[in-house]
Structure formats: structure tokens, C-alpha cells
Amino acid sequence: HGAAEPEETGTEALPRRTPAPAWLPTAKGEEGDFCLRSSDCAAGLCCARHFWSKICKPVLREGQVCTRHRRKGAHGLEIFQRCQCAEGLACRPQREPGPADASRLHTCQRH
């Protein structure tokens, strides 16, 4: 006899699905999609907290309000996190005429 005969079930055997290896490119999350880390999001987006989950949000552009953290780890306390400023921009106090510290608002500004 030698080789064992496969059982006939009347249907073709379907290949077993296995998860894709991590090195295979996968679709990146769009704005508003759930994520675990920024690498899960498409270009120009970061993964940030929104209530008690995390979603892909846009990276901040020049002139947009940003959050400056005085203490390391304070970012984790926010319910609504913002992304960081885009490359080439820094989160700095908004330049406004008037007394110093008149505004604590920070915006993304060119270096």
C-alpha cells in the first residue's frame, strides 16, 4: 500500500490561514483608526490617547496648538493626547505682543 490515502470529504481541503509574519507590510491605520503605537498609523499620523483607547491622529503642523510637558511621563495623564509637532518644528510658547507669560499657549514653530 505505501502512501496513505487522504480522506474524501466531498469538499476541497482549504489551506489553513496563519497570521502574516510581522515583516510583511500591512495596511496602516488612517485618521480615527484604533492603534497601539505610532508605527500602526499611516504617514503623517501618530497613535495618541483618545478617552481610554488610542487612535491615529494627525501630526501637528506649523501654527497648531501643541502640548509642552514640563515633567517626563506627564503625557500619559492626558485623556486627549495630541501628536508631536512635525519634523522641523518645535513646541514653543506662542509669540504674542504684551506682557511675558500672558499666554501659556504653545504652538508648533520652526526651529
Side-chain angles (χ1 to χ4, degrees), residues 1-38:
H1 288 348
E5 291 286 324
E7 282 187 34
E8 296 230 9
T9 59
T11 61
E12 289 185 28
L14 296 174
R16 191 180 309 168
R17 290 196 55 127
T18 55
W23 53 265
L24 278 181
T26 56
K28 299 283 187 170
E30 296 299 324
E31 189 174 342
D33 289 348
F34 289 102
C35 57
L36 293 175
R37 60 191 68 83
S38 291

Side-chain angles (χ1 to χ4, degrees), residues 13-98:
L14 296 174
R16 191 180 309 168
R17 290 196 55 127
T18 55
W23 53 265
L24 278 181
T26 56
K28 299 283 187 170
E30 296 299 324
E31 189 174 342
D33 289 348
F34 289 102
C35 57
L36 293 175
R37 60 191 68 83
S38 291
S39 60
D40 296 338
C41 301
L45 301 173
C46 83
C47 189
R49 183 172 287 118
H50 189 81
F51 285 115
W52 292 271
S53 59
K54 292 175 103 178
I55 62 171
C56 296
K57 294 183 179 185
V59 170
L60 300 176
R61 294 189 177 97
E62 189 171 7
Q64 290 186 306
V65 174
C66 54
T67 305
R68 179 88 179 176
H69 299 288
R70 286 176 167 55
R71 289 174 318 219
K72 189 176 174 105
H75 201 62
L77 303 175
E78 293 177 273
I79 293 178
F80 298 104
Q81 286 179 334
R82 290 185 177 108
C83 289
Q84 295 179 338
C85 296
E87 201 167 315
L89 302 176
C91 188
R92 296 193 175 135
Q94 188 167 340
R95 295 179 216 143
E96 287 185 15

